[in-house]
Amino acid sequence: QVQLAESGGGLVQAGGSLRLSCTASGSIGSLNIMAWFRQAPGKQRELVASITSGGITNYANSVKGRFTISRDNARYTVYLEMNSLKPEDTAVYYCNAFIRSTLEYRARDYWGQGTQVTVSS
């Protein structure tokens, strides 16, 4: 089995910063794209940022210039550095990774349990 464990959420004032981490563990054969999604109350889950195993990144327009995604392939870990946070960034943030487990033939999506980020005005 494969698990994703997130950490780093919390409460911060507008303009502040937070750093999220997500580490994959278990029977990992190959770790491909890793990403962060978020879901605010009453809204659909949306992509925040993604990063390939080669380091190519993609960001939602709403976070460009404020958030930075990075990864440590040796540690199976992805990070999300969030700066200049706004109240509209308040959401549950979910880690996502496309992983081929050593126990399965095909790669598939795995999700973390989510971590709450709250930005006060």
Coordinates of all heavy atoms in Angstrom, one line a residue, residues 33-36 47-52 56-59 69:
I33 N 3.9 12.6 -11.3 CA 3.5 13.9 -11.0 C 3.0 14.0 -9.5 O 2.3 13.1 -9.0 CB 2.4 14.4 -11.9 CG1 3.0 14.6 -13.3 CG2 1.7 15.7 -11.4 CD1 1.9 15.0 -14.4
M34 N 3.4 15.1 -8.8 CA 2.9 15.4 -7.5 C 2.2 16.7 -7.6 O 2.6 17.6 -8.3 CB 4.0 15.3 -6.4 CG 4.7 14.0 -6.3 SD 5.9 13.9 -5.0 CE 4.8 13.6 -3.6
A35 N 1.2 16.9 -6.8 CA 0.4 18.1 -6.9 C -0.3 18.5 -5.5 O -0.4 17.6 -4.7 CB -0.6 18.0 -8.0
W36 N -0.7 19.7 -5.5 CA -1.5 20.2 -4.4 C -2.8 20.7 -4.9 O -2.9 21.4 -5.9 CB -0.8 21.3 -3.6 CG 0.3 20.9 -2.8 CD1 1.6 20.9 -3.2 CD2 0.3 20.3 -1.5 NE1 2.4 20.4 -2.2 CE2 1.6 20.1 -1.1 CE3 -0.7 20.1 -0.6 CZ2 2.0 19.5 0.1 CZ3 -0.4 19.5 0.7 CH2 1.0 19.3 1.0
L47 N -7.1 22.5 -8.6 CA -5.6 22.3 -8.7 C -5.0 23.7 -8.3 O -5.3 24.7 -8.8 CB -5.2 22.0 -10.1 CG -3.7 21.9 -10.3 CD1 -3.1 20.7 -9.5 CD2 -3.4 21.7 -11.8
V48 N -4.0 23.6 -7.3 CA -3.2 24.7 -6.9 C -1.9 24.7 -7.7 O -1.5 25.8 -8.3 CB -3.0 24.7 -5.4 CG1 -2.1 25.8 -5.0 CG2 -4.3 24.7 -4.6
A49 N -1.2 23.6 -7.7 CA 0.1 23.6 -8.3 C 0.5 22.1 -8.5 O 0.1 21.2 -7.8 CB 1.2 24.3 -7.5
S50 N 1.3 21.8 -9.5 CA 1.8 20.5 -9.8 C 3.3 20.6 -10.2 O 3.7 21.6 -10.7 CB 1.0 19.8 -10.9 OG 1.1 20.5 -12.1
I51 N 3.9 19.4 -10.1 CA 5.3 19.3 -10.4 C 5.6 17.9 -10.9 O 5.2 16.9 -10.3 CB 6.2 19.7 -9.2 CG1 7.7 19.8 -9.6 CG2 6.0 18.9 -8.0 CD1 8.6 20.4 -8.6
T52 N 6.3 17.8 -12.0 CA 6.7 16.5 -12.6 C 8.0 16.0 -11.8 O 8.6 16.8 -11.1 CB 7.0 16.6 -14.1 OG1 8.2 17.4 -14.3 CG2 5.8 17.3 -14.8
I56 N 9.3 20.2 -13.7 CA 8.4 21.1 -14.5 C 7.2 21.4 -13.6 O 6.5 20.5 -13.1 CB 8.0 20.5 -15.8 CG1 9.2 20.3 -16.7 CG2 7.0 21.5 -16.5 CD1 9.0 19.6 -18.0
T57 N 6.9 22.7 -13.4 CA 5.8 23.1 -12.5 C 4.7 23.8 -13.3 O 4.9 24.3 -14.4 CB 6.4 24.1 -11.5 OG1 6.9 25.3 -12.2 CG2 7.4 23.5 -10.6
N58 N 3.5 23.8 -12.7 CA 2.3 24.4 -13.2 C 1.6 25.0 -12.0 O 1.5 24.3 -11.0 CB 1.5 23.4 -14.0 CG 0.2 24.0 -14.5 OD1 0.3 25.0 -15.3 ND2 -0.9 23.4 -14.2
Y59 N 1.0 26.2 -12.2 CA 0.3 26.9 -11.1 C -1.0 27.4 -11.6 O -1.2 27.8 -12.7 CB 1.1 28.1 -10.6 CG 2.4 27.7 -10.0 CD1 3.6 27.7 -10.7 CD2 2.5 27.4 -8.6 CE1 4.8 27.4 -10.1 CE2 3.7 27.1 -8.0 CZ 4.9 27.1 -8.8 OH 6.1 26.8 -8.2
I69 N 5.9 25.4 -5.6 CA 5.9 24.0 -5.4 C 7.3 23.5 -5.7 O 8.0 23.9 -6.6 CB 4.8 23.3 -6.2 CG1 4.7 21.8 -5.8 CG2 5.1 23.4 -7.7 CD1 3.5 21.1 -6.5

